[in-house]
Amino acid sequence: MIDIAKLTIAEARKKLDAKEFSAVDLAQAYLDEIKKKNKELNAYLEIFDDVLEQAKEVDARIAKGESYPLLGIPMAIKDVILIKGRRVSAASKILENYRATYDATVITKLKKQGAVFLGRTNMDEFAMGGSTENSAFGPTRNPHDTRRVSGGSSGGSVAAVASNMALGALGSDTGGSVREPASFCGIVGMKPTYGRVSRYGLIAMGSSLDCIGSIAKNTEDAKIIYDAIYGHDILDSTSIEDTTYAKPQIKKVIGVPWDLVNMEGVDVKVKENFKQSISKLENLGFKINDISIKNIDMALATYYIIMPAESSTNLSRFDGMRYGLHKDGKDLLEDYRLTKRAGFGKEVRRRILLGTYVLSSGYYDAYYGKAQIARSALKEEFAKAFKDVDIVATPTAPFVAWKIGEKSDPLSVYLADIFTITANMVGIPAISIPSGFSEVEGKKLPLGIQFMAPHGAEDLLFEVGKKFETVL
Amino acid sequence: MEIKDVENLANLSRIELSEEEKQEILKDMKGILEYVKVVEGVQVEDTKPEYNLRNVWRDDEIIPREFSHELITEQFPASQDGFLKVKKIL
C-alpha cells in the first residue's frame, strides 16, 4: 500500500527511482482514491481512460534508467489547458465536446518529463470566478467541509491535490485563481511572473493578466512543477527571457501593507492568523516594515474594468462557426446569438457585457483609460516598495471558504480577490502558503498567507515559503 | 444605465437575452459600475498609461509544427468537401 496522504512529489521521485513502487502502482493508488472521492467533490470533469497505459510507458522509461523530477508523477490539469486529442471545455457548454488540436507548451514540457495525466479538472467557466460555482458542470466541493466552495477558479485542480486525488496540478491565475483556492483548501499555489511560463495552449481570459501556475502540497513540490514548466517560448510573444529582469539584492525585509490588511471586510480571524504569521516571520529573522502602497485600494476596481474588457475581446472568438457548440438560426446573426446564449453561463455573459460597455465609445476614457493609468501608478508604487523590502506579505483571501450558494451578489464574490489581484495587475510572482486554520461550525477551515516578490524573483518566494513552512 | 443600454450591449456582443435576464444584468451592472467608478478618483501625478508594448521579432524561417488537420476539420459544425461551411454573409 502506498501512503498517498503523506506522499510528496519529492518523495515519490525517490521511491520510483528506488523501485519501491512502480508508476503503474502509483497511478492505480490515485485512481482508487478518485473513485472513492470524486463523485462527492466533483474535482475532475473527466478521468482519462489511458492513465495506466501512460504509467506503463513511464515504467519502461524508468527501467531504461531515465529520471526526471516529474517522471511518473500523477497530475491533474485544469480544463483550460490543451492536451492534443483530449477534450478541453473551460467548464463551458460552448466547448463541451471540443478536442484540443495541439499540446500547450506546458503540456509538451510535462510530457517530456513523463508526468502522468490523470484527468481534467473543474473550474469556473472560462476561469471567471472565485469559487468554481460558475462551472457549467456543477461546483467543486471543499475537502475540508463539503458544504463549502473549493475556491476558484482552479478549484478542481486544488481540491484534487488537497484530497489526495492528484500529487500535483496545473492551474491558471488571472486575479488569484490558483492562490485563493489553495488558501481555501490548505495547500500551496503559485503564480509566476507575467510571461515566465508560456501560455501557448491556454484558453485565454485576460491576456495582460493570465499566468499558468503550479499547485502542490508544499513549497518544494510547487517549485518542482514550476521548474518543469517555465522558460521562454517562441510560440508566446509575451514570453520573457531568464535575463529580462535583474536579480534583486536580498535585504531580509518583509513589507506589510497594514492599511489594506486592516480594512473593513477582512475577517477578524484572518487578521489574527496573519498577525501570528508575521510574528513567526520575525522570529525567523526577517525585519518587518509597515508599508503604504498608494492606490492599492483601487486595484480591485481597476481589475474589474481591465479584466472584463480583455475577456470580452478574447471570448468573441466563440461564435459556433469553427468548433464547439453550434445552434442553428434563420441567418448567420441569429446563429451567433443563439449559440452564445446557449453556450455561455451567467457570469460569462455578465463579464462580456461589462467589458463591451467599458470599451465602448463614450465610456472608454472614463473606465478603461482611467484603469490603465491606475494600473501604471500601481506598478510604480510596487517598484518603489521593492526598493526597501524583498517581499510584500498579505493574507491570501479576506475570509475562509464560503458555503455553496451563499454569495449571490457578484460584487461580494469579487471582493475575495482583494489581496491577490495586485500581483496580476503588476505582473509580479506570488505564492499562497497554508498558515493555519479558522474553526467555523466545528470544522477547521484553512487559511493562507500570500508572499509577493519583484518581477523574476520566484526563487525568493520558494525560499521564504520553505522557511515559513518550518514554523507552521 | 437603462434597459435599452443592456439591449444595445447584448446586441453588440451577439448574445440573445430574455427579458428576465436583461433585468438581472441591469441590476448587476449598476452595482458593479458604481463600484469600479472609484478609479475616476485615482490620484496620480504625471503617470501615463503604460502598455508595456515591445516588438517580438523572429527570422522568417519555416519551422514545422505539429497540427492535426483531421482533428481541426472534424470539429467543424458544418463542412463541405473538407471546407468549413457557413451561412451567407451578404
Side-chain angles (χ1 to χ4, degrees):
Chain A
M1 259 313 264
I2 304 171
D3 184 6
I4 55 172
K6 291 209 181 86
L7 198 65
T8 63
I9 294 176
E11 283 163 19
R13 166 83 285 106
K14 281 183 207 147
K15 291 182 175 173
L16 282 165
D17 287 346
K19 314 240 168 26
E20 272 186 49
F21 49 69
S22 68
V24 169
D25 297 337
L26 188 61
Q28 188 60 56
Y30 280 91
L31 289 175
D32 292 345
E33 201 69 8
I34 290 168
K35 212 168 179 184
K36 267 190 265 169
K37 291 179 177 166
N38 191 54
K39 205 170 172 202
E40 185 180 18
L41 295 178
N42 197 28
Y44 285 96
L45 292 176
E46 179 188 355
I47 309 300
F48 298 140
D49 55 11
D50 64 343
V51 173
L52 292 177
E53 278 101 90
Q54 292 179 55
K56 254 180 228 160
E57 278 172 33
V58 167
D59 280 330
R61 286 172 70 175
I62 293 175
K64 274 193 275 173
E66 273 188 55
S67 179
Y68 290 103
L70 293 175
L71 185 61
I73 302 300
M75 290 185 70
I77 306 295
K78 187 176 181 179
D79 190 31
V80 72
I81 296 170
L82 275 58
I83 309 178
K84 190 178 173 183
R86 297 190 195 272
R87 278 162 63 188
V88 56
S89 77
S92 179
K93 292 274 182 205
I94 212 160
L95 283 176
E96 193 171 358
N97 295 308
Y98 175 67
R99 274 184 199 278
T101 52
Y102 62 94
D103 277 332
T105 296
V106 289
I107 295 299
T108 306
K109 284 174 181 263
L110 291 184
K111 280 184 174 172
K112 207 172 158 202
Q113 288 220 358
V116 171
F117 303 126
L118 293 166
R120 58 187 173 99
T121 53
N122 200 8
M123 53 185 277
D124 287 295
E125 183 178 359
F126 284 103
M128 295 180 179
S131 67
T132 318
E133 289 170 292
N134 295 333
S135 165
F137 308 104
T140 296
R141 292 173 182 274
N142 192 312
H144 292 266
D145 179 352
T146 53
R147 293 169 305 170
R148 292 178 186 270
V149 299
S150 56
S153 65
S154 311
S157 278
V158 169
V161 174
S163 63
N164 300 310
M165 291 197 285
L167 198 39
L170 292 186
S172 64
D173 190 311
T174 305
S177 281
V178 161
R179 292 160 286 153
E180 183 245 27
S183 171
F184 282 6
C185 294
I187 59 169
V188 173
M190 187 265 188
K191 167 223 173 289
T193 307
Y194 180 75
R196 177 66 96 193
V197 174
S198 168
R199 299 180 299 177
Y200 179 71
L202 171 74
I203 297 175
M205 176 185 165
S207 297
S208 75
L209 304 154
D210 294 343
C211 288
I212 293 177
S214 52
I215 293 162
K217 284 187 196 167
N218 62 26
T219 305
E220 188 186 15
D221 282 3
K223 183 177 188 313
I224 291 171
I225 298 172
Y226 164 75
D227 284 342
I229 59 173
Y230 84 82
H232 179 257
D233 181 13
I234 198 168
L235 300 175
D236 174 356
S237 58
T238 59
S239 173
I240 58 169
E241 308 273 356
D242 284 351
T243 50
T244 304
Y245 298 108
K247 242 184 143 85
Q249 289 280 325
I250 306 298
K251 301 166 274 277
K252 278 215 105 180
V253 182
I254 292 178
V256 179
W258 285 110
D259 294 352
L260 185 71
V261 177
N262 284 323
M263 71 173 199
E264 210 185 315
V266 182
D267 189 317
V268 178
K269 284 179 182 165
V270 168
K271 283 183 203 170
E272 252 171 50
N273 172 268
F274 180 70
K275 278 175 195 155
Q276 285 165 7
S277 300
I278 293 299
S279 332
K280 284 175 188 165
L281 288 162
E282 259 182 318
N283 294 340
L284 283 169
F286 291 98
K287 191 172 171 282
I288 308 296
N289 272 10
D290 183 359
I291 57 167
S292 158
I293 295 174
K294 227 168 48 182
N295 297 321
I296 198 168
D297 52 334
M298 271 185 213
L300 191 67
T302 312
Y303 174 78
Y304 276 95
I305 292 172
I306 290 174
M307 176 273 299
E310 293 183 2
S311 30
S312 72
T313 310
N314 273 325
L315 266 59
S316 65
R317 79 190 60 175
F318 300 105
D319 57 5
M321 292 297 121
R322 289 149 299 157
Y323 47 77
L325 185 75
H326 174 86
K327 290 278 175 197
D328 220 39
K330 66 176 189 312
D331 54 19
L332 189 67
L333 182 63
E334 201 176 85
D335 284 8
Y336 290 150
R337 298 174 68 101
L338 295 177
T339 301
K340 284 173 189 264
R341 187 215 169 105
F344 288 137
K346 210 192 229 179
E347 179 65 18
V348 176
R349 283 188 242 168
R350 190 152 48 211
R351 293 198 194 186
I352 290 174
L353 261 55
L354 186 61
T356 306
Y357 180 77
V358 298
L359 288 175
S360 57
S361 130
Y363 300 102
Y364 182 95
D365 288 338
Y367 290 101
Y368 192 72
K370 275 277 185 200
Q372 288 293 0
I373 293 171
R375 184 179 190 177
S376 299
L378 192 66
K379 281 185 186 170
E380 285 173 12
E381 282 292 315
F382 265 83
K384 254 190 250 167
F386 280 126
K387 281 187 184 144
D388 303 318
V389 304
D390 307 308
I391 295 273
V392 174
T394 67
T396 307
F399 29 69
V400 293
W402 58 88
K403 284 185 187 155
I404 292 169
E406 188 181 22
K407 289 187 192 285
S408 57
D409 170 24
L411 258 183
S412 67
V413 178
Y414 296 174
L415 287 175
D417 302 339
I418 186 93
F419 296 121
T420 47
I421 35 107
T422 43
N424 302 79
M425 297 290 284
V426 179
I428 51 177
I431 195 167
S432 174
I433 315 262
S435 64
F437 296 89
S438 169
E439 201 167 312
V440 186
E441 296 169 6
K443 301 267 186 186
K444 281 171 80 180
L445 302 176
L447 297 167
I449 185 169
Q450 173 183 238
F451 300 121
M452 294 178 262
H455 290 93
E458 282 86 357
D459 285 345
L460 198 56
L461 294 178
F462 293 126
E463 208 182 297
V464 176
K466 278 180 196 168
K467 278 188 189 143
F468 184 74
E469 280 173 347
T470 62
V471 292
L472 196 64
Chain B
M1 177 166 284
E2 290 166 40
I3 206 79
K4 66 169 179 21
D5 299 313
V6 174
E7 282 166 354
N8 182 37
L9 290 173
N11 198 26
L12 288 170
S13 328
R14 306 282 189 254
I15 302 177
E16 186 85 33
L17 294 175
S18 70
E19 285 309 313
E20 201 183 317
E21 285 163 339
K22 285 179 201 165
Q23 291 295 343
E24 201 181 343
I25 282 198
L26 178 65
K27 186 176 145 269
D28 292 342
M29 292 275 275
K30 277 183 174 166
I32 297 166
L33 289 173
E34 183 64 34
Y35 178 74
V36 301
K37 235 181 160 167
V38 299
V39 299
E40 283 180 0
V42 65
Q43 289 168 10
V44 285
E45 298 134 30
D46 301 331
T47 301
K48 295 255 174 340
E50 174 221 330
Y51 293 95
N52 206 8
L53 300 177
R54 65 197 160 94
N55 281 322
V56 178
W57 304 104
R58 66 170 176 81
D59 294 330
D60 189 16
E61 292 167 352
I62 296 171
I63 306 163
R65 302 229 176 95
E66 213 194 313
F67 272 103
S68 165
H69 185 265
E70 197 190 327
L71 260 174
I72 293 171
T73 52
E74 75 185 19
Q75 303 197 61
F76 291 165
S79 64
Q80 193 179 318
D81 308 327
F83 290 96
L84 176 66
K85 193 176 161 188
V86 292
K87 286 198 176 111
K88 204 167 74 171
I89 290 168
L90 285 173

